Amino acid sequence: MSKSESLSVIKKNIARCFGDDLSACERMSAVLDEAVRLAAPGTVRELREKRFSAEELRREFPICLPTAPASLLDETPEENLALATAKVAAAEGAYLAAYCTRIAAQLKAAKLRVGPSLFLPQGGRKAGGDVAMLETEAFRRAFALLSGRQPDMTPRAVRSFSDACDAVCEGDCVYCILPLENSRDGLLSATLRIIVDNDLFISRVCEIADESGVTTRFALLCRDTGAAPPQSGAQQITIRLAQHGPSAMPRLFTGLAVTGASLVRVTSQPLAYTDGYAQICTFSGTREALFSWLLLLEIVKADYTLLGVYETLKEQ
């Protein structure tokens, strides 16, 4: 075959390949549009009637969305199965995330306020109350920032991180302040264990720089999410994610890219009585992107806990 004939065949194959891909994308887009058309009105009603809940989302997969058939990988050779499973999961994650972002767009178009706070149980308590914290210069500066828009917060001195946590868990204080970095006051691993084991919720974060220029993040924590101060700035969320199997992470993190949310940081935490690890992950993005990301986690029934929805404050 001559060089010109080879080039002709290559061009035809490329055209056919891209043609098939484009038609597949068009069909997929049509399926997504139809799925959103069927699902969005019900979600709009739930939000307007204040019946929207993560538990309802998790209960069953949206019936208007097709799933990959179980037999899809039956013919895959054993040595290629892990890679094939990951690729299928990644494609499914991108597809489901596209569905979630379109749902978020429909809700916003309906003049509904969309954001990650919708995935929290709604408490009835107003923000304000005593704040348990250590008596050091860094903590005093953190308190000044974290309580800046809440004049009804009052500091209460404690001797340790555990005492601060106990004050909240026993109802003596509404909030406590703990650092989210390794610092001269304690290790991050110990702080994360306190937060997770005692169901503390990160409601606001600030950044404090010491005399050497090292920055430490401090968190305002509570147990009742109804006590969380209102958010006004850019939002971040922190989740505890424990996923297993070759398909879990490809599906989720391919979906993450589609939603527009970004992974800011991740810390591993050993799981009690097992050899596994959970990941403490912080994400940032627009309210709609973070809503879409949490919606995806619920739809795929991810093993996660929402540890915080907050803005980060900085000293001027």
Side-chain angles (χ1 to χ4, degrees):
M1 183 180 294
S2 66
K3 184 175 180 180
S4 60
E5 289 175 326
S6 298
L7 288 174
S8 176
V9 170
I10 290 172
K11 287 180 180 180
K12 288 181 180 178
N13 285 337
I14 290 175
R16 180 170 55 82
C17 178
F18 275 96
D20 288 347
D21 284 351
L22 288 173
S23 62
C25 288
E26 290 171 357
R27 290 195 300 273
M28 186 65 74
S29 182
V31 171
L32 283 171
D33 286 340
E34 181 66 8
V36 171
R37 187 186 69 79
L38 293 171
T43 309
V44 169
R45 284 195 303 272
E46 289 174 357
L47 281 172
R48 285 181 172 158
E49 297 171 6
K50 301 189 183 306
R51 293 187 295 108
F52 178 89
S53 71
E55 290 77 11
E56 289 298 323
L57 289 170
R58 184 174 286 261
R59 191 158 296 171
E60 62 180 69
F61 193 86
I63 58 174
C64 49
L65 283 175
T67 57
S71 59
L72 189 63
L73 301 173
D74 287 350
E75 303 301 320
T76 303
E78 184 67 28
E79 62 271 20
N80 296 334
L81 191 57
L83 178 59
T85 300
K87 284 189 171 184
V88 170
E92 183 183 59
Y95 170 66
L96 292 175
Y99 166 80
C100 293
T101 56
R102 295 189 189 197
I103 287 287
Q106 288 292 315
L107 299 180
K108 187 176 181 180
K111 308 298 183 184
L112 293 167
R113 187 174 176 81
V114 178
S117 296
L118 289 172
F119 291 86
L120 297 173
Q122 301 302 311
R125 189 194 314 208
K126 293 178 65 176
D130 287 350
V131 183
M133 53 180 264
L134 272 63
E135 271 195 313
T136 69
E137 176 62 23
F139 275 86
R140 284 191 286 270
R141 289 165 59 195
F143 174 79
L145 272 178
L146 294 170
S147 63
R149 303 193 210 108
Q150 297 294 135
D152 50 351
M153 290 183 179
T154 306
R156 181 186 292 187
V158 295
R159 293 180 297 179
S160 68
F161 293 173
S162 296
D163 288 344
C165 174
D166 290 343
V168 174
C169 293
E170 294 169 6
D172 297 328
C173 293
V174 179
Y175 308 98
C176 66
I177 295 177
L178 297 177
L180 291 179
E181 322 280 7
N182 290 332
S183 70
R184 66 184 65 180
D185 296 301
L187 296 176
L188 175 60
S189 57
T191 308
L192 290 177
R193 187 168 61 252
I194 288 174
I195 292 173
V196 172
D197 292 348
N198 293 281
D199 297 324
L200 295 179
F201 179 77
I202 304 169
S203 62
R204 185 172 282 171
V205 170
C206 71
E207 295 181 354
I208 301 293
D210 63 17
E211 61 277 5
S212 64
V214 176
T215 299
T216 301
R217 291 176 304 136
F218 289 83
L220 182 70
L221 300 128
C222 58
R223 290 192 96 187
D224 179 5
T225 58
Q231 308 294 323
S232 60
Q235 286 196 330
Q236 292 186 328
I237 62 173
T238 294
I239 68 171
R240 181 178 184 271
L241 183 63
Q243 292 294 296
H244 309 282
S247 64
M249 289 306 179
R251 177 170 59 180
L252 289 181
F253 283 93
T254 303
L256 173 67
V258 175
T259 65
S262 300
L263 177 63
V264 176
R265 60 179 56 85
V266 59
T267 304
S268 294
Q269 182 191 39
L271 293 171
Y273 309 112
T274 73
D275 295 328
Y277 285 83
Q279 310 302 324
I280 309 295
C281 303
T282 298
F283 302 92
S284 66
T286 65
R287 294 177 185 273
E288 293 79 13
L290 294 176
F291 173 88
S292 301
W293 173 230
L294 291 176
L295 180 60
L296 175 65
L297 292 178
E298 294 293 347
I299 286 177
V300 301
K301 298 180 172 61
D303 182 5
Y304 88 101
T305 303
L306 183 55
L307 299 179
V309 177
Y310 52 89
E311 59 182 320
T312 297
L313 309 175
K314 298 182 181 180
E315 289 183 304
Q316 298 299 319

